[in-house]
Amino acid sequence: MNKKTIEDIDVTGKRVLVRVDFNVPQDDSGAITDDRRITSALPTIQYLLRKGAAVILCSHLGRPKGKVSAKYSLAPVAQHLSELLIGAPVTLVAATAADPLGIAEAGAKAAPGAVVLLENTRFSEAEERNDPALSEALAGLADVYVNDAFGAAHRAHASTEGVAHVMKSDGKPAVAGFLMRKELDFLGGAIAEPARPFVAILGGAKVKDKIPVIESLLPKLDTLLIGGGMAYTFYK
């Protein structure tokens, strides 16, 4: 992979902002029903903790539409992550009307060897607008930015694209985490030197987003299988 990762830079004792994908499914009581997205981020978090970094995590959850909502709070995620990171409790900052992600509190509580979790990035409507002010506020938290949210990396939001540009302009490193490296290595190998027959399965509901992917893959594939919600569009 031709992307720098956290192993390619010095993170010892640094304040590191990590964009993770903790958009996990929950039942009606708020209990997490599948924690794979959380466990997948553990190698990156644990590596940073071993290096004595101050780890500041940020993620979206659901679609709160730019408003603070108890339903979409990352509190269950913080509790579950604390249980997984034995000996490293996770502090979830409080969301306020003036500071829906709790950025100011996160800056005050970030310390070497500690894990701080910002509230849902989508509590601020500035997130999906890729607002420069939010990007700058996030970048101001850290010496290093790490994107380990493969499932959200395609979105040009403040916590993904925006903050990375600000970090670069400020002369601070923006690199990939271990999960991002794993996913890119796997996909790169699968597409560059695929085993035959090469079959791709695509699903989901957002057909518009999938069309460029389909057009890119078609020349390389032996078979393309369409499922999920987008199958109805092709059926029609």
Side-chain angles (χ1 to χ4, degrees):
M1 185 185 80
N2 62 348
K3 304 290 185 185
K4 281 189 176 182
T5 74
I6 51 178
E7 288 186 309
D8 297 313
I9 60 172
D10 180 17
V11 296
T12 304
K14 301 289 181 66
R15 293 162 66 100
V16 183
L17 176 66
V18 187
R19 180 47 160 103
V20 288
D21 183 5
F22 287 165
N23 186 30
V24 292
Q26 297 169 278
D27 62 21
D28 292 339
S29 71
I32 296 169
T33 58
D34 186 338
D35 70 350
R36 280 177 291 181
R37 288 181 174 176
I38 300 175
T39 58
S40 294
L42 290 178
T44 292
I45 298 170
Q46 291 167 333
Y47 175 85
L48 293 171
L49 289 175
R50 289 196 299 271
K51 293 291 185 178
V55 182
I56 306 167
L57 305 174
C58 63
S59 174
H60 73 284
L61 176 65
R63 297 178 180 177
K65 299 181 179 179
K67 297 180 180 179
V68 176
S69 166
K71 177 182 178 182
Y72 295 107
S73 172
L74 286 170
V77 172
Q79 179 179 346
H80 190 67
L81 182 58
S82 292
E83 295 168 357
L84 295 171
L85 291 172
I86 300 172
V90 178
T91 300
L92 176 69
V93 297
T96 66
D99 189 2
L101 275 61
I103 291 174
E105 184 183 346
K109 291 187 174 180
V115 181
V116 177
L117 177 61
L118 297 177
E119 256 296 5
N120 192 335
T121 58
R122 290 184 180 175
F123 277 0
S124 171
E125 50 84 27
E127 161 73 336
E128 294 186 76
R129 283 195 293 107
N130 200 2
D131 185 272
L134 179 56
S135 299
E136 290 171 5
L138 290 169
L141 284 172
D143 306 304
V144 176
Y145 172 72
V146 177
N147 193 333
D148 212 26
F150 181 77
H154 64 295
R155 301 193 183 281
H157 291 172
S159 66
T160 54
E161 186 202 46
V163 65
H165 283 297
V166 176
M167 296 292 287
K168 182 179 179 181
S169 66
D170 290 345
K172 301 176 183 178
V175 298
F178 293 140
L179 175 60
M180 180 71 75
R181 180 177 67 182
K182 176 182 175 182
E183 296 282 9
L184 292 177
D185 283 347
F186 175 78
L187 286 176
I191 293 173
E193 298 179 2
R196 298 290 177 179
F198 186 15
V199 181
I201 305 172
L202 292 179
K206 301 171 184 176
V207 181
K208 181 180 179 181
D209 293 346
K210 303 297 193 308
I211 295 298
V213 178
I214 292 172
E215 291 176 336
S216 175
L217 286 175
L218 276 177
K220 305 177 178 70
L221 297 172
D222 296 302
T223 304
L224 174 63
L225 304 179
I226 302 293
M230 63 188 293
Y232 292 105
T233 301
F234 283 84
Y235 181 73
K236 179 69 174 180

